[in-house]
Amino acid sequence: MKNGKGILYDILSYAGLFLICLLIMGANPIARQTVAPMDLLIAHGGFESFRDNIKNFTIVNPNRSDVIDAKLATWQGVKKALWTKDDPTLILTRMYGTPGVQLLITECLTPSFLVYALIHDDAIGFYFASLIKLLIAAVGMYLLLRIFVNRFSALFGVVVFLLGGQYMGWFFVSIHSTIIWFPWLFFVTVKYLVSADYMWLVGISIASAMMILGSFLSVIAFGFYAFSLLVLVWNIMDYKGLGLLIKRMILPFVFVGIAFCITFLPIYTFIGPSEFQHIVAARSAHGNTCLSFKHLALFVLGSHHLNMHPEFTCYMGILPIIFSCIACLFVFAKDRQVAGFKIMCVYSIVAIVLSIAIAFGFLPVALVRKIPVFSINPWQRLLSVTQFAIAILSALGFQSMLLWLKRHSRLKLNNKVFSVIILIIIAIQWADQNFLINRKYNAIVPNGWFLPRTESIKYVQERIFPLQSVIGDNSYMLSGTLEAYNLKEAFNLGLKTDMEKTMLAPLIKNDPYVTYSDALIIGSNINFSHPRFDATADLLALRFILMSSTVKTNGVSTKWKAKKLEPGIIVLENTTPTRGVMFVESNFKLVTTVAKEAISDGIDVNLKKSTWIQVTNRRLRGGWIVFSIRNIPGWNAYIDGKKASLETYAGVFPCVRVERQGVIDLKYQPETISFGWKVSVIGIVMLVFSIVTFVLLKKKKEKG
């Protein structure tokens, strides 16, 4: 039982953690500030009129586009669905229809998104969504380190961990949402290994499940590799008989398995019939690293000469390296330490050596690619484990130094002076990492910069029908940016099949894909003169094109009317757009190529909700009803209430054969949800059963 002074110190420690997190955020929400890469967004031509009112504008970091065109494009869609009481299991405005809240890679099943969704103001919501991640990581790391070190050493380790280069470089994306659960998984694992109390196994399941829901696949795998290494090293160094060895080696992995059962719904939605196959195909046998021996200096020098790219960021500062070296010297010292101190030192050293050997390319490429996950992912992401281990080791070294100074130093400092010196060291470490790394990556911006609505964007948002789409040229950064405004983009950030690329080809003169998923649309490359341009635009329900006013629109047909609502941008509006559902006359299965003009007359569209499109067909002749969305698994068609065969038109779009007038319903009813949910429920039941069993066993043991 803690005395009053111990409780006070705990309160002060957690207050210190909260203060550290606030200082890392840097923004003042009361003054309507947030932390988001909106400086990068408004630097583009589409926001010229907005930017004219800003003095001394600079871009903090140019490498954060995926926060806007991927993460926020998804979060905005799911958030809108929740606030409008729509079905959040499908986002029609993202990638022409993609699974929503239940898809693993969306990060929508995290505390961070929950906070974002609950707060109506997007800028404020994003601030607190980021703050909650820091708090989760800070508390978890503090609890882990407090097993081995005092409060001051734990606070030092927390600062090193939170401000690690990999973590700040990827602060806004799912890599960070996954990493924040590393300390929690290690905390409950160490607690189990030390005490053999079965209740800590429940914690392993919960922490593992949350880490999985963080959603960055390779970092999830790296986290479990690090966890496995911890269990192995601990059992080797703390061998206490075969029976205990078996329990401590097997049971943690059993409860990790339960975590996979609990999270099976989002996992299965992703690795089942969705984008996973495309990712594997696009990246197969391409696993490698961009780091080499010369990059080892990045741990203490930073990556300013490399344009502060997150892939090259592993800055920790000189102090954590020094204290880590001190910990290595004290591994086998005879100074009295708490149980497990030396084991954690050895584990951290092994984890650092192994992860650096892989991340910096010291091991044969062919050998590393044989390790599961490493064949399809960049190995430098393994630095997330390296920096986690360095944070632990530096805290252990900090503690060792403090103990040595107290016992051997000739300076007789009272506790208050000693505490002040320690706090100064922690403050120096925070300032070093915060100003050299954090503030070089993560911009503090006014709330008004968060997805600002320009006149052109307002005009489009107020007139577009939900199934209609837009094209934005590089005035709006990369394709996918306008999806963050809940506008469906013809080109978007996402993997494309060969059929999708073929279907989109008439719209753009040159290949717009700068990566396997990113499209950069140059306005002058929009191919208005292509003979299939208007037909393809109708098929895509393309309503608006937002582009630089410097682009010449030679060859554009009379159905497109130009409007200039602000400097630098013109909006081309399709005056005869389809509403996202077309009729194609044909007496045979026209499902592989676009060979006929689509007709929108005689077709009434009613979007009941995102997962239910109802069409009234008033045309007398037979043909195909074609929907301007992707035919992903889960769509089912019904004609006058009876299930009908669903085909694919042009290799992309769902279509239904009709022979007469009637009502066609297209409903999103994926089997992945029903099957995945059943397995997840089984996992939850297993965990609850385990809790009840462990409680009963504990009571029985206490009575005995």
Side-chain angles (χ1 to χ4, degrees), residues 364-668:
V365 171
L367 176 64
V368 176
R369 283 180 179 168
K370 291 181 180 180
I371 306 172
V373 176
F374 284 88
S375 64
I376 59 172
N377 283 282
W379 304 344
Q380 61 269 19
R381 308 279 170 79
L382 191 58
L383 289 173
S384 57
V385 173
T386 310
Q387 298 200 292
F388 176 54
I390 289 175
I392 294 172
L393 193 61
S394 65
L396 299 176
F398 194 77
Q399 170 85 348
S400 299
M401 181 196 70
L402 294 181
L403 290 176
W404 188 89
L405 287 175
K406 279 193 172 183
R407 292 171 187 169
H408 304 288
S409 176
R410 295 179 181 178
L411 295 174
K412 301 299 180 180
L413 301 176
N414 63 47
N415 287 336
K416 289 183 179 179
V417 174
F418 200 66
S419 298
V420 169
I421 293 173
I422 293 171
L423 288 174
I424 290 173
I425 294 173
I426 294 172
I428 290 171
Q429 180 61 35
W430 169 83
D432 177 37
Q433 288 181 278
N434 189 62
F435 294 113
L436 288 181
I437 293 296
N438 182 27
R439 293 281 75 89
K440 299 294 183 182
Y441 278 106
N442 306 312
I444 299 172
V445 298
N447 285 2
W449 292 21
F450 198 92
L451 298 176
R453 293 180 69 212
T454 62
E455 291 302 316
S456 298
I457 291 174
K458 285 180 187 177
Y459 181 85
V460 172
Q461 286 180 322
E462 291 168 359
R463 288 161 177 79
I464 199 165
F465 185 73
L467 293 176
Q468 292 174 334
S469 64
V470 304
I471 288 177
D473 74 355
N474 59 335
S475 300
Y476 296 92
M477 203 163 59
L478 294 167
S479 286
T481 298
L482 292 176
E483 289 188 340
Y485 290 88
N486 290 309
L487 297 171
K488 187 173 74 170
E489 284 198 67
F491 293 87
N492 46 64
L493 186 142
L495 295 163
K496 302 288 187 298
T497 64
D498 291 339
M499 292 297 294
E500 287 176 304
K501 290 182 178 181
T502 300
M503 181 271 299
L504 290 166
L507 300 176
I508 305 294
K509 293 176 185 177
N510 301 312
D511 184 0
Y513 294 97
V514 291
T515 70
Y516 63 87
S517 59
D518 288 301
L520 179 66
I521 307 298
I522 307 298
S524 58
N525 285 339
I526 299 177
N527 200 2
F528 297 110
S529 59
H530 194 286
R532 297 292 308 165
F533 183 89
D534 283 347
T536 305
D538 286 340
L539 189 61
L540 292 165
L542 185 59
R543 175 77 181 273
F544 295 101
I545 300 175
L546 294 85
M547 56 195 292
S548 170
S549 58
T550 61
V551 176
K552 296 179 180 180
T553 55
N554 298 334
V556 67
S557 69
T558 55
K559 68 184 294 181
W560 296 91
K561 300 298 181 184
K563 297 181 183 294
K564 188 171 183 180
L565 304 169
E566 58 185 317
I569 292 294
I570 59 170
V571 178
L572 286 180
E573 182 172 1
N574 188 345
T575 56
T576 59
T578 65
R579 287 170 64 85
V581 181
M582 287 75 64
F583 179 85
V584 177
E585 289 188 355
S586 175
N587 293 320
F588 57 92
K589 284 192 175 183
L590 187 63
V591 295
T592 55
T593 59
V594 180
K596 294 243 179 180
E597 299 294 334
I599 303 168
S600 58
D601 295 339
I603 302 294
D604 298 326
V605 184
N606 181 11
L607 187 66
K608 295 281 189 178
K609 51 185 177 181
S610 295
T611 54
W612 181 7
I613 306 169
Q614 188 174 82
V615 177
T616 302
N617 174 33
R618 294 184 283 103
R619 301 191 66 83
L620 298 174
R621 298 181 62 179
W624 295 90
I625 298 294
V626 182
F627 299 84
S628 292
I629 54 177
R630 285 193 308 152
N631 192 9
I632 61 173
W635 285 114
N636 291 311
Y638 302 86
I639 299 177
D640 295 328
K642 296 181 180 179
K643 193 167 185 177
S645 176
L646 191 66
E647 303 288 349
T648 304
Y649 181 77
V652 179
F653 306 105
C655 62
V656 184
R657 178 73 186 180
V658 293
E659 303 296 343
R660 61 183 184 278
Q661 296 178 335
V663 176
I664 300 95
D665 291 293
L666 188 69
K667 297 182 178 182
Y668 184 64

Side-chain angles (χ1 to χ4, degrees), residues 96-341:
Y96 267 73
T98 189
V101 67
Q102 78 279 14
L103 181 62
L104 180 64
I105 59 173
T106 61
E107 281 185 78
C108 287
L109 296 173
T110 62
S112 184
F113 174 74
L114 177 62
V115 171
Y116 182 73
L118 287 174
I119 300 174
H120 189 268
D121 186 289
D122 294 332
I124 296 174
F126 200 71
Y127 172 88
F128 284 103
S130 300
L131 178 62
I132 195 70
K133 290 197 301 178
L134 285 175
L135 289 171
I136 289 169
V139 174
M141 193 66 174
Y142 181 77
L143 290 173
L144 170 63
L145 293 175
R146 281 291 288 130
I147 298 174
F148 309 104
V149 299
N150 62 24
R151 293 180 178 87
F152 287 127
S153 301
L155 287 173
F156 179 83
V158 167
V159 169
V160 174
F161 174 64
L162 293 182
L163 287 164
Q166 275 285 296
Y167 311 146
M168 289 295 98
W170 300 110
F171 181 59
F172 295 121
V173 295
S174 56
I175 291 180
H176 190 266
S177 298
T178 306
I179 290 169
I180 63 174
W181 297 103
F182 282 14
W184 286 95
L185 178 58
F186 273 55
F187 168 66
V188 292
T189 302
V190 170
K191 280 291 190 179
Y192 170 69
L193 293 172
V194 170
S195 68
D197 185 342
Y198 292 137
M199 285 302 293
W200 291 110
L201 293 169
V202 175
I204 290 177
S205 284
I206 296 171
S208 297
M210 297 308 299
M211 188 172 78
I212 292 168
L213 294 176
S215 84
F216 202 89
L217 298 183
S218 61
V219 178
I220 294 170
F222 299 156
F224 282 124
Y225 281 137
F227 159 80
S228 303
L229 181 63
L230 173 66
V231 174
L232 177 63
V233 170
W234 199 286
N235 278 289
I236 291 173
M237 294 187 67
D238 190 39
Y239 180 77
K240 293 180 179 179
L242 184 61
L244 185 60
L245 174 67
I246 293 173
K247 284 197 298 185
R248 294 199 308 190
M249 282 295 293
I250 294 176
L251 288 180
F253 295 99
V254 170
F255 279 80
V256 167
I258 293 176
F260 274 96
C261 287
I262 293 171
T263 56
F264 188 78
L265 170 58
I267 292 173
Y268 185 57
T269 303
F270 179 64
I271 68 171
S274 84
E275 309 303 321
F276 185 67
Q277 293 83 358
H278 298 315
I279 291 177
V280 172
R283 298 184 177 181
S284 183
H286 286 84
N288 213 322
T289 180
C290 63
L291 302 175
S292 61
F293 179 80
K294 66 181 181 181
H295 294 117
L296 284 172
L298 295 176
F299 282 108
V300 293
L301 296 180
S303 55
H304 300 77
H305 61 295
L306 296 171
N307 200 27
M308 294 299 291
H309 197 287
E311 297 287 4
F312 292 94
T313 299
C314 55
Y315 184 80
M316 303 292 284
I318 191 66
L319 287 180
I321 305 302
I322 291 173
F323 291 133
S324 294
C325 293
I326 290 174
C328 295
L329 296 175
F330 279 86
V331 168
F332 299 105
K334 294 182 179 180
D335 285 1
R336 295 177 61 188
Q337 301 283 10
V338 297
F341 186 98

